[in-house]
mmCIF file of all heavy atoms in Angstrom:
data_model
loop_
_atom_site.group_PDB
_atom_site.id
_atom_site.type_symbol
_atom_site.label_atom_id
_atom_site.label_comp_id
_atom_site.label_asym_id
_atom_site.label_seq_id
_atom_site.Cartn_x
_atom_site.Cartn_y
_atom_site.Cartn_z
ATOM 1 N N THR A 1 108.154 142.312 145.426
ATOM 2 C CA THR A 1 107.264 143.090 146.244
ATOM 3 C C THR A 1 108.096 144.385 146.525
ATOM 4 O O THR A 1 109.158 144.404 147.068
ATOM 5 C CB THR A 1 106.917 142.448 147.592
ATOM 6 O OG1 THR A 1 106.215 141.216 147.273
ATOM 7 C CG2 THR A 1 106.040 143.313 148.446
ATOM 8 N N LEU A 2 107.515 145.579 146.169
ATOM 9 C CA LEU A 2 108.257 146.804 146.177
ATOM 10 C C LEU A 2 108.073 147.558 147.477
ATOM 11 O O LEU A 2 109.063 148.157 147.955
ATOM 12 C CB LEU A 2 107.812 147.684 145.006
ATOM 13 C CG LEU A 2 107.970 147.018 143.625
ATOM 14 C CD1 LEU A 2 107.420 147.969 142.593
ATOM 15 C CD2 LEU A 2 109.398 146.710 143.361
ATOM 16 N N THR A 3 106.915 147.579 148.029
ATOM 17 C CA THR A 3 106.661 148.295 149.290
ATOM 18 C C THR A 3 105.294 147.845 149.797
ATOM 19 O O THR A 3 104.553 147.138 149.169
ATOM 20 C CB THR A 3 106.742 149.788 149.065
ATOM 21 O OG1 THR A 3 106.670 150.431 150.364
ATOM 22 C CG2 THR A 3 105.629 150.360 148.198
ATOM 23 N N PHE A 4 104.951 148.331 150.973
ATOM 24 C CA PHE A 4 103.627 148.064 151.594
ATOM 25 C C PHE A 4 102.698 149.206 151.181
ATOM 26 O O PHE A 4 103.052 150.356 151.217
ATOM 27 C CB PHE A 4 103.825 148.073 153.119
ATOM 28 C CG PHE A 4 102.557 147.623 153.826
ATOM 29 C CD1 PHE A 4 102.256 146.273 153.945
ATOM 30 C CD2 PHE A 4 101.704 148.523 154.393
ATOM 31 C CE1 PHE A 4 101.138 145.843 154.628
ATOM 32 C CE2 PHE A 4 100.589 148.122 155.061
ATOM 33 C CZ PHE A 4 100.302 146.761 155.157
ATOM 34 N N ASP A 5 101.466 148.855 150.768
ATOM 35 C CA ASP A 5 100.523 149.862 150.239
ATOM 36 C C ASP A 5 99.619 150.405 151.375
ATOM 37 O O ASP A 5 99.561 151.602 151.601
ATOM 38 C CB ASP A 5 99.724 149.317 149.122
ATOM 39 C CG ASP A 5 98.778 150.359 148.493
ATOM 40 O OD1 ASP A 5 99.377 151.381 147.980
ATOM 41 O OD2 ASP A 5 97.571 150.262 148.603
ATOM 42 N N HIS A 6 98.863 149.482 151.983
ATOM 43 C CA HIS A 6 97.907 149.980 153.025
ATOM 44 C C HIS A 6 97.440 148.805 153.881
ATOM 45 O O HIS A 6 97.689 147.669 153.559
ATOM 46 C CB HIS A 6 96.670 150.680 152.360
ATOM 47 C CG HIS A 6 95.779 149.744 151.667
ATOM 48 N ND1 HIS A 6 95.953 149.461 150.327
ATOM 49 C CD2 HIS A 6 94.697 149.010 152.048
ATOM 50 C CE1 HIS A 6 95.037 148.602 149.896
ATOM 51 N NE2 HIS A 6 94.229 148.290 150.958
ATOM 52 N N VAL A 7 96.765 149.130 154.959
ATOM 53 C CA VAL A 7 96.155 148.141 155.792
ATOM 54 C C VAL A 7 94.652 148.463 155.805
ATOM 55 O O VAL A 7 94.258 149.641 155.851
ATOM 56 C CB VAL A 7 96.742 148.079 157.190
ATOM 57 C CG1 VAL A 7 96.552 149.354 157.954
ATOM 58 C CG2 VAL A 7 96.187 146.900 158.005
ATOM 59 N N GLY A 8 93.784 147.422 155.736
ATOM 60 C CA GLY A 8 92.341 147.626 155.864
ATOM 61 C C GLY A 8 91.896 147.432 157.308
ATOM 62 O O GLY A 8 92.304 146.500 157.924
ATOM 63 N N ILE A 9 91.084 148.404 157.789
ATOM 64 C CA ILE A 9 90.596 148.296 159.174
ATOM 65 C C ILE A 9 89.084 148.415 159.172
ATOM 66 O O ILE A 9 88.492 149.315 158.689
ATOM 67 C CB ILE A 9 91.159 149.500 159.927
ATOM 68 C CG1 ILE A 9 92.697 149.505 159.907
ATOM 69 C CG2 ILE A 9 90.657 149.465 161.404
ATOM 70 C CD1 ILE A 9 93.348 150.780 160.512
ATOM 71 N N ARG A 10 88.474 147.256 159.630
ATOM 72 C CA ARG A 10 87.006 147.191 159.617
ATOM 73 C C ARG A 10 86.475 148.029 160.742
ATOM 74 O O ARG A 10 86.884 147.962 161.888
ATOM 75 C CB ARG A 10 86.519 145.742 159.776
ATOM 76 C CG ARG A 10 84.993 145.640 159.789
ATOM 77 C CD ARG A 10 84.507 144.268 159.489
ATOM 78 N NE ARG A 10 84.640 144.000 158.057
ATOM 79 C CZ ARG A 10 85.329 142.963 157.528
ATOM 80 N NH1 ARG A 10 85.935 142.097 158.338
ATOM 81 N NH2 ARG A 10 85.367 142.804 156.263
ATOM 82 N N VAL A 11 85.445 148.896 160.443
ATOM 83 C CA VAL A 11 84.845 149.781 161.401
ATOM 84 C C VAL A 11 83.327 149.670 161.240
ATOM 85 O O VAL A 11 82.772 149.244 160.243
ATOM 86 C CB VAL A 11 85.306 151.264 161.197
ATOM 87 C CG1 VAL A 11 86.826 151.301 161.375
ATOM 88 C CG2 VAL A 11 84.883 151.788 159.835
ATOM 89 N N THR A 12 82.641 150.189 162.348
ATOM 90 C CA THR A 12 81.170 150.126 162.328
ATOM 91 C C THR A 12 80.554 151.473 161.864
ATOM 92 O O THR A 12 79.467 151.482 161.318
ATOM 93 C CB THR A 12 80.657 149.800 163.717
ATOM 94 O OG1 THR A 12 81.130 150.775 164.641
ATOM 95 C CG2 THR A 12 81.028 148.386 164.156
ATOM 96 N N ASP A 13 81.229 152.545 162.091
ATOM 97 C CA ASP A 13 80.685 153.854 161.737
ATOM 98 C C ASP A 13 81.768 154.651 161.047
ATOM 99 O O ASP A 13 82.750 155.078 161.686
ATOM 100 C CB ASP A 13 80.229 154.567 162.999
ATOM 101 C CG ASP A 13 79.498 155.859 162.759
ATOM 102 O OD1 ASP A 13 80.055 156.715 161.968
ATOM 103 O OD2 ASP A 13 78.502 156.104 163.365
ATOM 104 N N LEU A 14 81.649 154.915 159.744
ATOM 105 C CA LEU A 14 82.631 155.561 158.929
ATOM 106 C C LEU A 14 82.912 156.986 159.524
ATOM 107 O O LEU A 14 84.114 157.341 159.644
ATOM 108 C CB LEU A 14 82.211 155.672 157.503
ATOM 109 C CG LEU A 14 83.195 156.437 156.591
ATOM 110 C CD1 LEU A 14 84.584 155.805 156.594
ATOM 111 C CD2 LEU A 14 82.616 156.528 155.156
ATOM 112 N N ALA A 15 81.917 157.743 159.847
ATOM 113 C CA ALA A 15 82.139 159.109 160.267
ATOM 114 C C ALA A 15 82.934 159.160 161.581
ATOM 115 O O ALA A 15 83.897 159.963 161.720
ATOM 116 C CB ALA A 15 80.843 159.837 160.472
ATOM 117 N N VAL A 16 82.620 158.269 162.505
ATOM 118 C CA VAL A 16 83.336 158.190 163.757
ATOM 119 C C VAL A 16 84.799 157.763 163.562
ATOM 120 O O VAL A 16 85.727 158.367 164.086
ATOM 121 C CB VAL A 16 82.633 157.282 164.760
ATOM 122 C CG1 VAL A 16 83.504 156.983 165.984
ATOM 123 C CG2 VAL A 16 81.298 157.825 165.188
ATOM 124 N N ALA A 17 84.995 156.736 162.724
ATOM 125 C CA ALA A 17 86.353 156.256 162.462
ATOM 126 C C ALA A 17 87.160 157.248 161.690
ATOM 127 O O ALA A 17 88.369 157.530 162.038
ATOM 128 C CB ALA A 17 86.261 154.948 161.711
ATOM 129 N N GLU A 18 86.560 157.907 160.755
ATOM 130 C CA GLU A 18 87.283 158.893 159.953
ATOM 131 C C GLU A 18 87.695 160.097 160.840
ATOM 132 O O GLU A 18 88.819 160.591 160.683
ATOM 133 C CB GLU A 18 86.419 159.372 158.763
ATOM 134 C CG GLU A 18 87.157 160.166 157.755
ATOM 135 C CD GLU A 18 86.295 160.439 156.494
ATOM 136 O OE1 GLU A 18 85.190 160.012 156.370
ATOM 137 O OE2 GLU A 18 86.895 161.090 155.582
ATOM 138 N N ALA A 19 86.863 160.517 161.734
ATOM 139 C CA ALA A 19 87.214 161.590 162.701
ATOM 140 C C ALA A 19 88.358 161.139 163.579
ATOM 141 O O ALA A 19 89.305 161.922 163.796
ATOM 142 C CB ALA A 19 85.950 161.931 163.525
ATOM 143 N N PHE A 20 88.302 159.921 164.083
ATOM 144 C CA PHE A 20 89.395 159.414 164.966
ATOM 145 C C PHE A 20 90.697 159.402 164.193
ATOM 146 O O PHE A 20 91.732 159.902 164.652
ATOM 147 C CB PHE A 20 89.076 158.024 165.480
ATOM 148 C CG PHE A 20 90.195 157.442 166.283
ATOM 149 C CD1 PHE A 20 90.319 157.737 167.657
ATOM 150 C CD2 PHE A 20 91.099 156.573 165.733
ATOM 151 C CE1 PHE A 20 91.362 157.238 168.405
ATOM 152 C CE2 PHE A 20 92.138 156.030 166.471
ATOM 153 C CZ PHE A 20 92.212 156.349 167.822
ATOM 154 N N TYR A 21 90.738 158.747 163.012
ATOM 155 C CA TYR A 21 92.004 158.647 162.263
ATOM 156 C C TYR A 21 92.436 160.028 161.754
ATOM 157 O O TYR A 21 93.636 160.292 161.553
ATOM 158 C CB TYR A 21 91.844 157.616 161.152
ATOM 159 C CG TYR A 21 91.915 156.231 161.749
ATOM 160 C CD1 TYR A 21 90.725 155.494 162.026
ATOM 161 C CD2 TYR A 21 93.143 155.648 162.060
ATOM 162 C CE1 TYR A 21 90.807 154.295 162.624
ATOM 163 C CE2 TYR A 21 93.184 154.364 162.704
ATOM 164 C CZ TYR A 21 92.028 153.673 162.923
ATOM 165 O OH TYR A 21 92.061 152.412 163.478
ATOM 166 N N GLY A 22 91.459 160.957 161.573
ATOM 167 C CA GLY A 22 91.843 162.305 161.212
ATOM 168 C C GLY A 22 92.619 162.984 162.313
ATOM 169 O O GLY A 22 93.525 163.775 162.035
ATOM 170 N N ARG A 23 92.340 162.643 163.552
ATOM 171 C CA ARG A 23 93.133 163.150 164.671
ATOM 172 C C ARG A 23 94.573 162.707 164.588
ATOM 173 O O ARG A 23 95.473 163.348 165.123
ATOM 174 C CB ARG A 23 92.458 162.774 166.011
ATOM 175 C CG ARG A 23 91.155 163.459 166.235
ATOM 176 C CD ARG A 23 90.363 162.856 167.300
ATOM 177 N NE ARG A 23 90.977 163.166 168.658
ATOM 178 C CZ ARG A 23 90.565 162.581 169.766
ATOM 179 N NH1 ARG A 23 89.573 161.713 169.775
ATOM 180 N NH2 ARG A 23 91.110 162.852 170.909
ATOM 181 N N LEU A 24 94.798 161.533 163.963
ATOM 182 C CA LEU A 24 96.119 160.976 163.817
ATOM 183 C C LEU A 24 96.818 161.508 162.528
ATOM 184 O O LEU A 24 97.910 161.092 162.183
ATOM 185 C CB LEU A 24 96.110 159.447 163.802
ATOM 186 C CG LEU A 24 95.595 158.788 165.021
ATOM 187 C CD1 LEU A 24 95.535 157.223 164.834
ATOM 188 C CD2 LEU A 24 96.454 159.129 166.248
ATOM 189 N N GLY A 25 96.127 162.392 161.788
ATOM 190 C CA GLY A 25 96.699 163.014 160.623
ATOM 191 C C GLY A 25 96.183 162.468 159.261
ATOM 192 O O GLY A 25 96.679 162.904 158.254
ATOM 193 N N PHE A 26 95.338 161.488 159.261
ATOM 194 C CA PHE A 26 94.881 160.904 158.072
ATOM 195 C C PHE A 26 93.695 161.708 157.503
ATOM 196 O O PHE A 26 92.818 162.116 158.230
ATOM 197 C CB PHE A 26 94.420 159.427 158.244
ATOM 198 C CG PHE A 26 95.545 158.472 158.544
ATOM 199 C CD1 PHE A 26 96.041 158.290 159.815
ATOM 200 C CD2 PHE A 26 96.166 157.833 157.458
ATOM 201 C CE1 PHE A 26 97.094 157.407 160.058
ATOM 202 C CE2 PHE A 26 97.201 156.925 157.720
ATOM 203 C CZ PHE A 26 97.679 156.729 159.012
ATOM 204 N N VAL A 27 93.659 161.887 156.159
ATOM 205 C CA VAL A 27 92.554 162.521 155.495
ATOM 206 C C VAL A 27 92.027 161.656 154.399
ATOM 207 O O VAL A 27 92.777 160.824 153.843
ATOM 208 C CB VAL A 27 92.968 163.934 154.916
ATOM 209 C CG1 VAL A 27 93.332 164.909 156.036
ATOM 210 C CG2 VAL A 27 94.087 163.795 153.922
ATOM 211 N N ARG A 28 90.788 161.838 154.020
ATOM 212 C CA ARG A 28 90.174 161.032 152.953
ATOM 213 C C ARG A 28 90.808 161.300 151.572
ATOM 214 O O ARG A 28 91.078 162.404 151.221
ATOM 215 C CB ARG A 28 88.669 161.370 152.885
ATOM 216 C CG ARG A 28 87.972 160.436 151.853
ATOM 217 C CD ARG A 28 86.512 160.752 151.670
ATOM 218 N NE ARG A 28 85.752 160.350 152.885
ATOM 219 C CZ ARG A 28 84.452 160.124 152.856
ATOM 220 N NH1 ARG A 28 83.797 160.288 151.757
ATOM 221 N NH2 ARG A 28 83.846 159.786 153.978
#
């Protein structure tokens, strides 16, 4: 195992979740 790739987070509304995580610096 070389490294950790990602974590999956279940959400109800993609636009709302994407905006929230965007505030933390994540982009699509």
Side-chain angles (χ1 to χ4, degrees):
T1 300
L2 304 176
T3 188
F4 188 81
D5 185 63
H6 69 272
V7 62
I9 302 170
R10 181 163 283 123
V11 300
T12 57
D13 185 313
L14 177 59
V16 170
E18 193 170 0
F20 176 83
Y21 286 96
R23 292 166 71 189
L24 299 177
F26 289 88
V27 296
R28 184 183 289 202

